[in-house]
Amino acid sequence: MAIFSPERVWWKPLGREERLWVTVSAVWCFFMFFMLIGWYFLGAQNLPTKTMRITPAQFQTLTDAFVQANKVGEEAGIPIVHVPAGGDAYLIAKQWQWTPILELEVGKTYTLHLSSLDVQHGFSVQPINLNLQIFPGYDFIVTVTPNRTGEYGLICNEFCSIGHHLMTGKIIVK
Amino acid sequence: MAAISAPNIFTGTKSQYRVCPVTTLKVDLAAERLIIWNAVTAIVALTVGGLYALLIGLTRWPDVHLLSAPWFYRLLTGHGLNMLVFWIVFFEAAGLYFGVTALLNARLVGVRLAWVAFALMLIGSLMVNVMVLMGKADVMFSAYPPLAADPLFYVGYILFAVGAILVCCIFLASLVMAKVERRYEGSMPLAVFGLLTAAIIALFTLASGAVALIPTLLWRLGIGEVDPGAYRVTFWGFGHSAQQINLSAMIAIWYSLATLTVGAKPVNEKLSRFAFFLYILFINLGSMHHLLVDPGLGSANKFFNTSYAMYLAVLGSLIHAFSIPAAIEVAMREKGYNKGLFGWLLNAPWKEPGFSALMFSLFIFGFIGGPTGVVIGAGQINLLAHNTWRITGHFHATVVGGTTLAFMGFTYYVIPLIFRRPLFAKPLVRWQPWVYGIGMILVSISMTMAGVLGAPRRHWDTTFTNAAIPVQLPSLTNLMLTLTGIGALIAVTGGIMYVVVCVGSLFMPKREARALDPMEA
Ligand code: HEM
Ligand SMILES: [Cu+2]
Ligand SMILES: [Cu+2]
């Protein structure tokens, strides 16, 4: 009777089924606990990331210099930039655009810098569905090695005010 | 009605009681009024939030695409707040007052303060709603800075939280007073123990909310800065832990409904109480899983903080997942339904709304909401899930298909016993949990699938028609969004049935309950 006080002595040993269930559950939970930590060392899915403080103005300056040095074209008014192999790539999130369009080569490793100039955004690479939260004031530094060629769409999946659904971009892997 | 009086040491007035003829519980009349007002306000919030649910659900259905973008985002903000915050917390306030008075034969301490709390929550929720509808707070319920809303939006949010903190304090004070005045014998009932768990979690949760929102308000007034990362840590210390309040309250209601519907008795009080205790200790760090792909925090930190905390809390849930069905089975077998392995389940009172709500809630939470949450809470998988519709699918199976449905089932007992009115439109009542439950199963599964395919949450146009650079999601996404729209129609129908029954019952002639079963009361 869960809505009435229990009998005076309710501190009773568990029944057989209960002991079995609790044991199985506890073993499973502890296994998952160690696996979550273990996976960090065993798995290949960790994002190699680092974060630095940066102001939006500084990030803009770095990106401008990067675009100027490596620009190879333009689409819909957004510069296309060929990133030097093994080099740093800068990607700006702002209302409501990812800029520039990055051109990478398959098998090469890059250092990708992500930051916002205004509010928070959601970096979402499609169709592989890889998602990161982007802040203003933080340079989110991600090491990437593309392993498949193609054009990857970028969308924003953190609400960033009324034009949120207009915010797209692209990464080209050659 | 037998009224009993006892002196109230705080106000000098006498507490008035009545004795419920069905349950023989003693009900404090002052608490009863508070329960009624908080519950009615909760249902108003649910109605508003449900209307918005219909409109945003139809907007995300690609072939319907009902609202304009600004109104979609505005009403989505309103939906999150009215549902997740106002409906749930007003109902929980009613539940806490009910638990600490009726279930303990006790009185409410600080009745005047409880009305102040109610007023603060009411004013706060009205301010928030007005700001949202005026288009001055298009920021979603999470309100991440530097996205900014009108300062009055944060004021409303904070007032509401202060009211909720007062409710918890009144609950705790009344609980202590009931013990001091020896209103009940031995230990408190399990349901009250569950509510106590909820209230304890609520206190540190709401404190975390204050730490997030007060600096944000000051920043909007031109004082100081808010760091987006720090905000997210403290906001989710509130936003996620708040779900553990809901979880504890829901499980308290599961145990209560199991008792009310089939007379189930907790199989082992020690084990069930221990499971609640695990929540208090371990669940708050689960908030970290909102931050798994944020900049600024190292991977080791994220994985460690989500792992141990999460799995020990999961252990608590696994215990309840055993105890409640087991209690129902034992009770049914004692009644003689012993045929086969599942005879007890087939012969259970499925026609009783409290029971069907309990079973749908258990099923949706236990098989969809809980497991999906554990999966997306793993660091690596979160990369694939963060801010996609997979998240929205997950919590529509926890706080909606689980908590909301349990609260709905509980309401059908509260109306005859506390409002003292027979239920309106009983055929509707019988089917309501089924319609709502089936709709929500469809909504949560299709949302999850759409999210797995990449569909973002909080998004007006997943075809990206007007975007500068075209992006296309897999074609199956469209089907999933459509299924969500259809599920939303079904679930909203279930929601309307609930509101019609509640509002209709308010206009039924007042009379004492005649039976525990709400269909006969
Ligand atoms: C008839 C029932 C309901 C339906 C059809 C429904 C449908 C929806 C839809 C379509 C969204 C939009 C998701 C997006 O675009 O990202 C949403 C968001 C949401 N819903 Fe519901 N919902 C229902 C009930 C509830 C209830 C009862 C609650 C809480 C107790 C709730 C809590 C939320 C929250 C917190 C969000 C997220 C808002 C945000 O992302 O800021 N919903 N719902
Ligand atoms: Cu954005
Ligand atoms: Cu956005």
Side-chain angles (χ1 to χ4, degrees):
Chain A
M1 300 287 144
I3 60 171
F4 298 109
S5 288
E7 62 267 28
R8 213 65 236 177
V9 181
W10 49 265
W11 193 260
K12 291 187 185 142
L14 305 187
R16 201 172 60 86
E17 289 92 351
E18 282 167 318
R19 273 206 307 275
L20 184 66
W21 175 265
V22 174
T23 311
V24 171
S25 305
V27 167
W28 180 244
C29 288
F30 277 99
F31 172 73
M32 291 296 284
F33 160 47
F34 287 114
M35 268 321 277
L36 261 195
I37 297 175
W39 211 243
Y40 173 63
F41 298 102
L42 301 172
Q45 292 86 351
N46 295 319
L47 254 195
T49 57
K50 205 167 78 179
T51 310
M52 307 285 273
R53 288 272 183 191
I54 195 158
T55 66
Q58 285 168 331
F59 196 75
Q60 174 91 62
T61 313
L62 285 170
T63 312
D64 286 347
F66 161 71
V67 171
Q68 207 146 51
N70 303 295
K71 183 170 163 179
V72 292
E74 221 175 80
E75 184 185 332
I78 300 171
I80 303 176
V81 178
H82 186 86
V83 189
D88 284 346
Y90 293 83
L91 184 61
I92 285 178
K94 65 178 182 191
Q95 288 168 330
W96 291 288
Q97 199 176 65
W98 294 102
T99 183
I101 294 171
L102 300 174
E103 210 178 76
L104 309 176
E105 281 169 43
V106 80
K108 302 268 161 57
T109 298
Y110 300 89
T111 308
L112 178 59
H113 298 259
L114 297 157
S115 192
S116 163
L117 299 188
D118 37 52
V119 298
Q120 303 192 21
H121 297 276
F123 175 79
S124 179
V125 190
Q126 298 300 340
I128 55 172
N129 202 9
L130 200 96
N131 307 288
L132 298 172
Q133 187 83 14
I134 308 302
F135 294 167
Y138 288 70
D139 180 4
F140 202 4
I141 306 167
V142 187
T143 317
V144 276
T145 312
N147 58 3
R148 229 179 299 148
T149 56
E151 291 203 350
Y152 296 89
L154 288 183
I155 61 176
C156 176
N157 67 9
E158 182 53 78
F159 177 70
C160 52
S161 185
I162 243 64
H164 167 52
H165 50 278
L166 301 173
M167 182 160 169
T168 57
K170 198 185 325 193
I171 294 179
I172 304 165
V173 179
K174 286 202 162 151
Chain B
M1 181 184 94
I4 315 164
S5 302
N8 182 323
I9 58 167
F10 282 97
T11 57
T13 59
K14 285 188 171 177
S15 299
Q16 297 276 327
Y17 294 96
R18 69 179 173 88
V19 175
C20 175
V22 177
T23 57
T24 67
L25 293 176
K26 212 166 85 183
V27 187
D28 175 357
L29 294 180
E32 187 176 84
R33 277 189 292 278
L34 280 157
I35 295 169
I36 291 176
W37 277 93
N38 278 287
V40 168
T41 315
I43 292 168
V44 173
L46 181 76
T47 310
V48 176
L51 173 67
Y52 296 174
L54 177 66
L55 299 176
I56 58 179
L58 290 179
T59 305
R60 292 215 59 164
W61 182 342
D63 294 327
V64 182
H65 214 222
L66 185 66
L67 299 173
S68 67
W71 274 102
F72 170 76
Y73 292 127
R74 206 157 286 162
L75 295 191
L76 180 53
T77 307
H79 174 70
L81 286 159
N82 277 304
M83 291 299 211
L84 191 65
V85 188
F86 305 145
W87 144 251
I88 293 278
V89 178
F90 272 115
F91 198 94
E92 280 166 353
L96 287 175
Y97 294 147
F98 173 80
V100 82
T101 56
L103 297 186
L104 297 182
N105 276 320
R107 65 186 174 87
L108 202 66
V109 172
V111 172
R112 277 189 215 147
L113 200 59
W115 284 108
V116 172
F118 176 73
L120 285 174
M121 287 164 65
L122 187 65
I123 294 169
S125 52
L126 287 175
M127 282 173 74
V128 166
N129 266 300
V130 169
M131 286 298 124
V132 168
L133 286 177
M134 285 171 69
K136 291 187 171 180
D138 295 333
V139 295
M140 303 293 141
F141 78 90
S142 47
Y144 298 139
L147 200 61
D150 192 288
L152 287 177
F153 170 82
Y154 306 102
V155 173
Y157 220 145
I158 293 166
L159 286 182
F160 185 87
V162 171
I165 291 176
L166 286 180
V167 171
C168 295
C169 296
I170 291 163
F171 170 85
L172 293 175
S174 305
L175 192 64
V176 171
M177 189 56 73
K179 187 87 196 166
V180 169
E181 295 179 348
R182 297 173 178 279
R183 298 301 179 105
Y184 60 98
E185 303 240 328
S187 305
M188 66 182 90
L190 182 59
V192 181
F193 190 82
L195 292 175
L196 172 61
T197 309
I200 291 172
I201 299 176
L203 282 177
F204 61 71
T205 297
L206 291 162
S208 187
V211 175
L213 289 168
I214 292 173
T216 311
L217 171 63
L218 292 176
W219 158 68
R220 289 296 291 132
L221 297 173
I223 306 164
E225 293 279 323
V226 180
D227 179 86
Y231 178 89
R232 277 174 59 86
V233 172
T234 48
F235 181 83
W236 287 112
F238 159 71
H240 189 84
S241 307
Q243 303 321 310
Q244 319 314 330
I245 310 170
N246 303 340
L247 175 68
S248 306
M250 171 183 73
I251 292 175
I253 284 186
W254 281 353
Y255 279 109
S256 309
L257 282 175
T259 297
L260 291 167
T261 54
V262 299
K265 181 176 172 302
V267 183
N268 189 306
E269 292 266 352
K270 178 170 81 173
L271 187 61
S272 297
R273 283 168 202 244
F274 173 69
F276 276 119
F277 191 57
L278 283 176
Y279 286 160
I280 299 184
L281 289 186
F282 294 109
I283 219 148
N284 54 335
L285 275 171
S287 313
M288 275 300 278
H289 65 220
H290 287 259
L291 316 174
L292 286 172
V293 298
D294 278 17
L297 300 161
S299 306
N301 168 336
K302 291 169 183 172
F303 294 158
F304 185 70
N305 272 323
T306 43
S307 58
Y308 80 95
M310 193 161 84
Y311 285 108
L312 287 176
V314 168
L315 182 59
S317 292
L318 283 170
I319 292 174
H320 294 303
F322 175 87
S323 299
I324 295 171
I328 295 173
E329 178 173 351
V330 169
M332 288 301 291
R333 283 188 192 278
E334 269 170 14
K335 289 185 188 168
Y337 298 107
N338 264 318
K339 226 159 146 199
L341 209 52
F342 290 109
W344 60 273
L345 190 59
L346 293 176
N347 287 299
W350 288 95
K351 289 184 183 166
E352 212 197 287
F355 187 79
S356 55
L358 165 64
M359 292 316 266
F360 268 105
S361 174
L362 260 171
F363 174 82
I364 298 175
F365 198 105
F367 286 94
I368 308 176
T372 52
V374 172
V375 171
I376 57 185
Q380 294 89 347
I381 295 172
N382 195 264
L383 269 175
L384 302 172
H386 181 71
N387 274 355
T388 67
W389 237 22
R390 193 167 170 182
I391 307 298
T392 323
H394 151 69
F395 65 73
H396 278 80
T398 54
V399 73
V400 190
T403 309
T404 297
L405 194 47
F407 287 5
M408 286 173 164
F410 193 62
T411 314
Y412 299 135
Y413 282 86
V414 172
I415 290 175
L417 296 176
I418 297 285
F419 286 62
R420 280 179 283 160
R421 293 172 200 275
L423 287 180
F424 172 73
K426 285 181 182 158
L428 275 190
V429 184
R430 188 184 150 190
W431 291 109
Q432 191 276 332
W434 293 77
V435 178
Y436 196 80
I438 289 169
M440 228 54 234
I441 291 174
L442 187 56
V443 166
S444 54
I445 292 181
S446 58
M447 275 178 169
T448 305
M449 304 286 279
V452 170
L453 295 165
R457 71 185 284 194
R458 304 173 161 175
H459 203 281
W460 182 69
D461 180 17
T462 27
T463 61
F464 308 98
T465 321
N466 301 321
I469 297 173
V471 176
Q472 239 185 347
L473 295 176
S475 55
L476 203 57
T477 317
N478 231 340
L479 174 66
M480 291 306 152
L481 294 169
T482 305
L483 286 178
T484 306
I486 295 170
L489 285 181
I490 302 173
V492 168
T493 306
I496 293 173
M497 288 162 78
Y498 173 73
V499 173
V500 166
V501 170
C502 291
V503 174
S505 302
L506 284 182
F507 294 98
M508 296 292 272
K510 200 162 179 174
R511 67 152 201 249
E512 291 292 336
R514 292 188 297 223
L516 191 56
D517 182 345
M519 300 301 265
E520 273 145 40

